[in-house]
Each structure stands twice: as C-alpha cells, then as structure tokens.
Amino acid sequence: MGAKKDLGYGDDIISSMENWGEKTLAPVSILMGQHAERCAKNRKQFKENDIVLTQAHASACSAFLNFISRCCGKQFDEVIGDPAQQLDLITHFIHGINLCEIAIVEGLYTQAATLLRQEHELISAVQELGVSKRKDGKTPHATFGRLKNMGKVYGELSGAAHVSQSHLMHDIIATEIGDRKGPSVVPLFHRELARNLYALHVSYICQMTFITDEVHGALGIGNLLEEEKSLLVVATKILHDEGLIEIEVDKVGEAFLKGVS
C-alpha cells in the first residue's frame, strides 16, 4: 500500500483505500498493528523495570506445571464426584495462566482484573468442593479457606471487572497529547498497577499449587517434591522482598523468609 502504511488513529483509513479488499483489511491491519506494537512496548517496559517479578512467575509456574506433568504421567482410577470437579477447575486455572500474564504486562488491566477475579473464584471453588460446601450455579465465596483475608482484593477486582469504578476506568486509559486530552485507544503502561496485579497473579498460582497438592494427595495421585516446594519459596520470597505481599512468619517459619539454601 506504499505511503498508506503511514495511516493510523485519527485518519479516515477506508476513504484512503482504492479497492474494497484494502477497505476491508487496512483498518484492521494498521490499527491493530499499532495496538500490538504498543502491547509489545508495554511488555518491554515491564521487564526493564521489574524483571525480577518475571522470575517469580517463572518459578511458580515451573513448580505448578512440573507437578501437574508428573501427575498426568501416572495411571490412576477414574475420579468422580467432587474430586472430579476439583480436577476440572484446576485445569481451567492452568488454561488461563498465560492469558492472564499477557493481559497484565501488556497493559490490558481491566481484562486482567477479570481474569484474576476468575482465578480467585477457581481457588475458592476447589476449596469448597474439598469440604462439600460447593453449590452448583452459585459464585464461590470470596473469602473461603486460604482466601479468608482477601475480601478487599476481590472487591477491587470485581470493581474493575464490572467496570463500576469510574475513576479507575478513566485513569487507566487517560492520555494527553499537546492540548488534546482523552482516552488512549492503545494500552498505556502503569508500572505500579502492573506490579500489583502481577504479584497477585503469582500468589494465586502458588495458592492453587498448594491446593492441588492437597487434592492430588487425597486421591493418591502424588504430592509436591521438595524441589517444587523450593521453587514456590523462591517465588514467594521475591514478592515479599519487593514489598508486594506480607508473610505471617509464625505460620511459615523463618526459613521460608530466608529462602532456599
């Protein structure tokens, strides 16, 4: 399309095209291309500022996915009832990990909040099934089991997911170019927001890993190895050292804070 590649947001792209093939494809390829470029820049900014958090994510995911891989390689009797539903929900959690990480680091924060809210509910639902308190068709309790102190977090995620917090909706996309102000049609990078959402995502992965250990152990499928537990310690310690989470020392012990040797 020659010089037409210079077209972007603010231009009437369709009118600039000569045939219907171009009119159909050009707006999508040009504008979504710019969107993808900005997402890539946001990911680069995140890594430049907080590469250590990606290490926490890698450690947590490695522990969780290696555990799942080992268990999938074993032969065990068919699982039915509540335990079968637990395995289903754990699998749904795994399917969303990559998508959630992408949304956070690429600046898609309202979409990330929706995915994080789902991670929260999956963790709660698996726990409810473990004590026969799960009611089909009902939203899982936000503060059940390991999530007992996370009601405020869930409320904030719900506010973003349901687009009910107008100030947040505005601040995430507000931009200013010269004397023009308005919402940015490409995702903007907000470091502190990204850090907090990313830490929450990593902590959810760690929580689900421990819960899966309980589920698999009860079914006789297998338990976490010491190496996998150590990777979870590494992930948690990074978040703690970055000031993104608090750890109750009396429950986890000094060794947990010091990390693996």
Side-chain angles (χ1 to χ4, degrees):
M1 292 186 290
K4 295 169 186 174
K5 293 181 180 179
D6 295 332
L7 293 168
Y9 291 109
D11 296 318
D12 182 357
I13 299 172
I14 290 179
S15 296
S16 301
M17 300 295 108
E18 297 179 356
N19 60 66
W20 282 106
E22 289 182 328
K23 292 178 186 295
T24 302
L25 299 176
V28 176
S29 62
I30 293 174
L31 302 185
M32 294 310 295
Q34 292 183 351
H35 187 278
E37 287 177 6
R38 179 55 67 89
C39 286
K41 289 180 180 178
N42 290 342
R43 175 175 285 275
K44 182 179 179 181
Q45 278 188 273
F46 183 85
K47 288 186 175 181
E48 288 175 348
N49 286 283
D50 293 294
I51 188 69
V52 68
L53 295 185
T54 66
Q55 180 185 346
H57 186 268
S59 296
C61 286
S62 292
F64 189 22
L65 298 179
N66 191 70
F67 179 40
I68 293 295
S69 176
R70 286 193 301 104
C71 292
C72 287
K74 296 180 179 179
Q75 184 173 351
F76 49 87
D77 295 334
E78 181 183 4
V79 180
I80 60 174
D82 287 352
Q85 291 184 53
Q86 287 181 306
L87 296 181
D88 289 344
L89 296 179
I90 290 168
T91 303
H92 281 295
F93 184 97
I94 293 170
H95 289 174
I97 288 176
N98 187 56
L99 188 60
C100 188
E101 193 270 349
I102 290 173
I104 295 169
V105 299
E106 294 190 357
L108 307 171
Y109 303 120
T110 53
Q111 290 76 16
T114 301
L115 294 168
L116 286 166
R117 184 176 184 269
Q118 185 180 73
E119 287 188 341
H120 189 111
E121 292 177 355
L122 285 167
I123 290 171
S124 180
V126 173
Q127 292 183 106
E128 288 181 347
L129 286 165
V131 292
S132 300
K133 288 189 176 182
R134 180 83 193 102
K135 295 182 178 180
D136 201 34
K138 298 292 185 180
T139 301
H141 290 86
T143 56
F144 191 84
R146 290 175 174 269
L147 304 171
K148 64 179 181 180
N149 297 320
M150 299 186 69
K152 181 179 179 182
V153 170
Y154 181 78
E156 291 174 346
L157 290 176
S158 296
H162 295 311
V163 299
S164 61
Q165 299 179 5
S166 58
H167 288 296
L168 177 62
M169 294 296 102
H170 173 74
D171 291 344
I172 288 175
I173 58 173
T175 188
E176 183 175 344
I177 302 176
D179 58 353
R180 292 185 298 168
K181 298 180 181 180
S184 172
V185 290
V186 293
L188 302 176
F189 178 69
H190 297 280
R191 185 188 177 194
E192 286 306 310
L193 180 55
R195 278 170 57 84
N196 287 313
L197 293 177
Y198 203 86
L200 186 59
H201 177 48
V202 174
S203 69
Y204 281 154
I205 295 171
C206 292
Q207 292 290 351
M208 185 60 97
T209 305
F210 285 121
I211 293 168
T212 303
D213 180 49
E214 296 170 1
V215 173
H216 283 196
L219 293 172
I221 299 174
N223 289 104
L224 286 166
L225 299 175
E226 289 304 315
E227 292 91 338
E228 293 161 347
K229 292 179 181 178
S230 294
L231 284 169
L232 295 174
V233 170
V234 169
T236 306
K237 186 175 186 298
I238 289 173
L239 299 184
H240 178 265
D241 291 346
E242 288 291 306
L244 292 167
I245 62 170
E246 295 181 358
I247 298 176
E248 298 179 43
V249 180
D250 60 326
K251 291 187 177 181
V252 299
E254 292 288 347
F256 195 87
L257 287 178
K258 293 178 181 177
V260 292
S261 58

